[in-house]
Amino acid sequence: MPFLPGLTLSRRFHDEVVAPLLARRLPGLRYAAGLLDGGSELLGLDTPRSTDHDWGPRVQLFVADSAAVGPVRAVLEELPAAFLGWPTRFAGGPDVRLGVVRPDGDRHGVGVYDLSGWLRGRLGVDPADGLDVDDWLSVPTQRLAELTGGAVFHDGLAGALTRTRDRLAWYPDDVWRYVLAAAWTRVSQAEHLPGRCAEVGDELGSRVVAAGVAHDLMRLGLLLHRRWPPYDKWLGTLFARLPGAAPLVVALSAAFGPGGWPDRQAGLARALETVAGWTNDTGLGTPVDPRVRPFHDRPFLVLDAGRCAAALRAGIGDPALRARPPVGAVDQYVHSVDVLTRADRARRVAAAVLPGTPVSPPASPA
């Protein structure tokens, strides 16, 4: 069957099948619908390869009253077995998105949720209640990328779903400065290490450390352009699409090519200088000289990235936030998928690192 991008397929499934069914069987139902729960299709990056698992006609339905969840789920049992040739039943269903899409799956791909409960399950907080600094710093950016990506197919809850996405569009400026400063702090702690590894003949170690610096620079590039860094699988793809990123892609590709330390250093230096320039362009802090320089009296070129971090921190208006340790948001110091995909775990970790973050478990989706 011909491939359709997942967002297109799911929008048509809602418009041509789900919405008419609800209008016929539950007239007057107020609901919102979209595709916001994860997957490459939310970023427009799915391909025919994506269809081998966890992909197909899917929709999330959100209701304002949890009492409506049961009746809506009952009506959805009438959904057809296929749509445009694609099976609508999943092994595992919409709440356990680990199975292969197949005609004999045990659950259809339409989940029904109380909107506030679903948001608490994904984020640990309902944005309608407001987002404080601790809330922002406990939510992984990949979750924000999902919720602000994807698509809303229908918003019959007086625009509540659309307003939620608007609230999550980007950090408040002070939080943005703090997160960027934390990222530059990470770079400052490692930018001199690839040269030292290479100097003692540890080419593998040099490459590994340099790759970590490159990873931080790529996330920084997205953050500086007000783009939520996604799951690592798509980090390089979205980074390469940033305005002006092409020379950085060339530089970093050269840094990790077959050449030795001189090529690696040259590529990293170009990347450091460019991302420092992007930081200056935001106007979030006093501009710094974006040129690399020797690390003390050693023959390694570095940006001295702590200068960028200091300039950003100095621009933070909230003195309590400015005084925090420069660790940043939870996904700047945690890389476990099993933590970052569970809001309760992410919030507990954030609370342990930065006391003050609420740790009450989020409500489970209805």
Side-chain angles (χ1 to χ4, degrees), residues 314-339:
I316 296 174
D318 177 359
L321 181 56
R322 188 168 60 245
R324 290 191 183 208
V327 296
V330 65
D331 53 353
Q332 292 180 282
Y333 53 87
V334 174
H335 304 290
S336 167
V337 172
D338 290 318
V339 172

Side-chain angles (χ1 to χ4, degrees), residues 57-292:
R58 299 191 301 108
V59 179
Q60 283 88 56
L61 296 179
F62 304 105
V63 294
D65 182 357
S66 60
V69 170
V72 174
R73 285 178 175 168
V75 166
L76 292 173
E77 292 305 316
E78 302 174 23
L79 289 169
F83 176 68
L84 299 181
W86 294 99
T88 62
R89 302 253 162 194
F90 294 67
D95 297 315
V96 186
R97 299 186 62 237
L98 300 175
V100 175
V101 179
R102 63 190 189 197
D104 60 340
D106 58 355
R107 291 283 301 278
H108 58 71
V110 183
V112 187
Y113 313 97
D114 160 69
L115 178 58
S116 181
W118 186 83
L119 289 167
R120 290 180 183 278
R122 302 295 286 185
L123 303 174
V125 63
D126 182 349
D129 298 330
L131 294 163
D132 62 22
V133 169
D134 293 313
D135 292 326
W136 280 112
L137 297 179
S138 68
V139 179
T141 58
Q142 67 188 57
R143 282 294 195 224
L144 296 168
E146 293 165 359
L147 277 162
T148 57
V152 174
F153 306 146
H154 173 70
D155 197 350
L157 297 179
L161 185 56
T162 300
R163 286 196 300 276
T164 293
R165 282 158 53 92
D166 289 344
R167 289 188 181 103
L168 298 174
W170 199 245
Y171 289 130
D173 279 357
D174 266 3
V175 178
W176 189 15
R177 289 184 177 96
Y178 175 73
V179 169
L180 291 172
W184 275 119
T185 298
R186 284 176 56 91
V187 172
S188 74
Q189 293 164 348
E191 60 180 332
H192 60 288
L193 299 179
R196 181 61 173 144
C197 292
E199 187 178 54
V200 298
D202 182 7
E203 276 293 303
L204 176 60
S206 178
R207 288 176 180 275
V208 168
V209 179
V213 174
H215 183 271
D216 285 336
L217 289 175
M218 291 165 70
R219 286 181 56 92
L220 256 168
L222 288 162
L223 289 167
L224 289 164
H225 285 84
R226 300 172 64 94
R227 310 281 204 278
W228 296 122
Y231 185 55
D232 271 355
K233 176 170 62 171
W234 301 121
L235 178 63
T237 302
L238 294 188
F239 175 78
R241 295 181 179 182
L242 291 175
L248 271 78
V249 172
V250 172
L252 292 175
S253 297
F256 297 105
W261 166 240
D263 292 332
R264 193 172 314 122
Q265 175 169 253
L268 285 173
R270 291 198 298 275
L272 286 162
E273 291 181 339
T274 301
V275 179
W278 287 352
T279 303
N280 289 341
D281 292 343
T282 66
L284 293 171
T286 302
V288 302
D289 182 350
R291 291 173 295 183
V292 295

